[in-house]
Amino acid sequence: MNNERQPVLLTDEQMRTFITEGFLILKTDFPEDFHRSLLQQLTHVYENEGNPGNNLLPRIREVQMIFDHPVVTGALTSVLGPGYLMHTHRHGHFNASPKAGGWHKDSYWGYKRMRNHHPWWAMIMYFPQDTPVELGPTGIMPGTQNYESRVFEADEVTGEALASGGAGTFALIHYDIWHRSTANILGQERYMLKFEFMRTQAPSAPSWDHREAGWKRPAAFSTEIHEHDLLWEETWNWLCGRVGSLAGTQPADAGRAAELAARLEEASEPEALNAAYTLAGMGAPGVQALLAALERGSGHASRLATYGLSAAGAEAVGGLTAALGSPQPLTAEYAVFALGELRYLAAGSVPALNRLLEAGAPAEVRRAVAEALGLIGTPAAEAVAGLTRCLEDADVQVRFTAGLSLARLGAPAEAAVPQLAAALEDENRYVRGHAAEALHYIGTEQAKDTLIRFLMNSRWCPSTTPQSTFYP
């Protein structure tokens, strides 16, 4: 075992599989005694102290070795780019239940938000013991990362993938995929270490072992999943650094646009998504149809139209900026989301986004603004000014989203350091955690001094337990 090795980057074929199916099952090569020791520590901590929750990493320091392993760092770098962030929320799942858990998507630490098709987030689910099917590995429903609805019957599951394998097996999953725990019919201890990661840099070039420029389906394409060729191609192009790549790829046919717009209301979610992405490629007729659906404020059609507008390129920016003034909070929230996904193309919308903060827009809209400012990122001074305001917002979710956005901005966000220092004393654990991460990614002397002082004052001793308060 040598964790000094270079990251083992994913191949084009693995990235194609991740884009279509939403997950990969991979494995580290730690020696057997590493996992034996890790299991002993996990069992001791869980039996004597309970689940350490967010303190899993400092309590069992060897866990960090997992996330320094070149297969893990290579997988995360490939999907999230260099400089990805390990989120402050982490959890060690213990499963001894003979009953399977319910299908679900993980929340974003306390609130419901628009989910990203682009992989801004990923999770690692790591199994430190041999995990045969009978021990209850995590079950994953392939291809469901882009759906809000479950789109399959829970009692008639076909195509479920299981993260089963020897010790050191892990699932790399798109954050928003449907998954569950499966039945542990052996009744033996089964741990799964779940850690979450965020992209801090928008892609400018492929970050995996990239050899073939164009998109194509993976060779082992699953026939169980719905087909979304335009969505997948757009995601591939986005990961290669191209924003709004669908623009102009479809005939600009007004009649066809009207037909597709009707599907946003009437079709199943997979079919409606295909309609939205087709409209995204049709130029002005497609964008106008998507904007009309957005402005109707219907939750289903509006949300699906938003994904199309997120991929439609510069053509969509003017209409989305105008939609920020909608009296319907849902329309404004979705417009903010789409502008964030359009990144630098939406730089001219930053003043309008900041005005939403100044006008006291609903909390859901302010949360979306706090994220979009970090994704757009320019002009930096205006984005930082808005995010500084967000750090002082009455809504805790606006505050902790602002910290993540400032981490994405990095050194250009130095003006926010005083407000981040104040946020380190916030009552909410994620506001504090995200503020610390932002200071780390800003990385200037002022930011580092503030962060080091905070870390020294809050230093956590992994050896201190109720059974060992001071000695040995």
Side-chain angles (χ1 to χ4, degrees), residues 153-172:
E153 295 297 327
D155 297 330
E156 300 177 6
V157 173
T158 59
E160 178 179 10
L162 300 177
S164 176
T169 296
F170 67 95
L172 168 71

Side-chain angles (χ1 to χ4, degrees), residues 55 88 417-440 445-460:
N55 283 329
T88 54
V417 169
Q419 286 73 27
L420 287 167
L424 293 172
E425 304 301 325
D426 196 276
E427 63 184 2
N428 180 270
R429 71 187 72 189
Y430 295 119
V431 176
R432 298 193 300 270
H434 296 177
E437 290 289 358
L439 291 165
H440 168 66
E445 287 302 314
Q446 181 189 17
K448 287 189 287 187
D449 288 346
T450 303
L451 177 60
I452 290 170
R453 184 164 54 251
F454 167 73
L455 294 176
M456 292 300 294
N457 290 341
S458 58
R459 186 176 67 87
W460 201 81

Side-chain angles (χ1 to χ4, degrees), residues 83-86 200 406-411 436-443:
Y84 56 81
L85 177 153
M86 177 189 280
T200 62
L406 288 163
R408 285 186 167 124
L409 293 182
E437 290 289 358
L439 291 165
H440 168 66
Y441 281 90
I442 290 170

Side-chain angles (χ1 to χ4, degrees), residues 16 33 53 61 78 143 192 307 454:
R16 294 183 189 113
D33 60 358
R61 298 174 65 186
S78 296
M192 183 270 282
Y307 289 118
F454 167 73

Side-chain angles (χ1 to χ4, degrees), residues 99-122:
K99 294 184 178 181
W103 287 102
H104 65 282
K105 290 173 178 268
D106 279 18
S107 74
Y108 285 85
W109 324 288
Y111 75 106
K112 188 176 178 66
R113 47 150 282 183
M114 187 83 170
R115 295 178 180 270
N116 303 93
H117 287 177
H118 296 144
W120 286 102
W121 291 87

Side-chain angles (χ1 to χ4, degrees), residues 211-447:
R211 306 296 178 90
E212 300 177 82
W215 164 256
K216 62 181 180 182
R217 291 183 180 185
F221 180 76
S222 171
T223 58
E224 299 280 351
I225 66 177
H226 295 281
E227 299 182 11
H228 296 293
D229 285 300
L230 282 178
L231 188 164
W232 296 332
E233 181 176 8
E234 196 277 338
T235 302
W236 172 271
N237 290 339
W238 185 86
L239 284 163
C240 291
R242 299 191 288 276
V243 181
S245 64
L246 290 185
T249 61
Q250 306 296 310
D253 183 334
R256 175 69 171 150
E259 294 175 11
L260 291 168
R263 292 189 192 176
L264 299 177
E265 291 277 7
E266 301 165 3
S268 67
E269 185 172 13
E271 293 171 337
L273 272 177
N274 283 340
Y277 276 84
T278 302
L279 287 166
M282 294 177 67
V287 168
Q288 290 307 311
L290 290 167
L291 285 170
L294 171 71
E295 291 164 2
R296 281 198 295 273
S298 161
H300 179 71
S302 237
R303 181 178 58 82
L304 295 170
T306 301
Y307 289 118
L309 291 163
S310 300
E315 181 78 36
V317 172
L320 287 168
T321 305
L324 297 178
S326 172
Q328 300 185 78
L330 196 61
T331 296
E333 178 187 350
Y334 288 166
V336 173
F337 173 90
L339 289 168
E341 288 288 351
L342 289 168
R343 291 163 38 199
Y344 58 84
L345 297 178
S349 302
V350 168
L353 293 171
N354 281 341
R355 285 196 291 273
L356 289 173
L357 300 174
E358 295 162 5
E364 294 81 3
V365 176
R366 302 198 311 275
R367 295 168 194 164
V369 170
E371 180 166 38
L373 290 173
L375 301 183
I376 296 170
T378 182
E382 292 184 45
V384 171
L387 291 169
T388 299
R389 177 186 287 271
C390 289
L391 284 174
E392 300 169 340
D393 198 279
D395 183 86
V396 65
Q397 297 160 19
V398 175
R399 299 200 302 276
F400 72 57
T401 303
L404 292 177
S405 285
L406 288 163
R408 285 186 167 124
L409 293 182
E414 183 175 24
V417 169
Q419 286 73 27
L420 287 167
L424 293 172
E425 304 301 325
D426 196 276
E427 63 184 2
N428 180 270
R429 71 187 72 189
Y430 295 119
V431 176
R432 298 193 300 270
H434 296 177
E437 290 289 358
L439 291 165
H440 168 66
Y441 281 90
I442 290 170
T444 62
E445 287 302 314
Q446 181 189 17

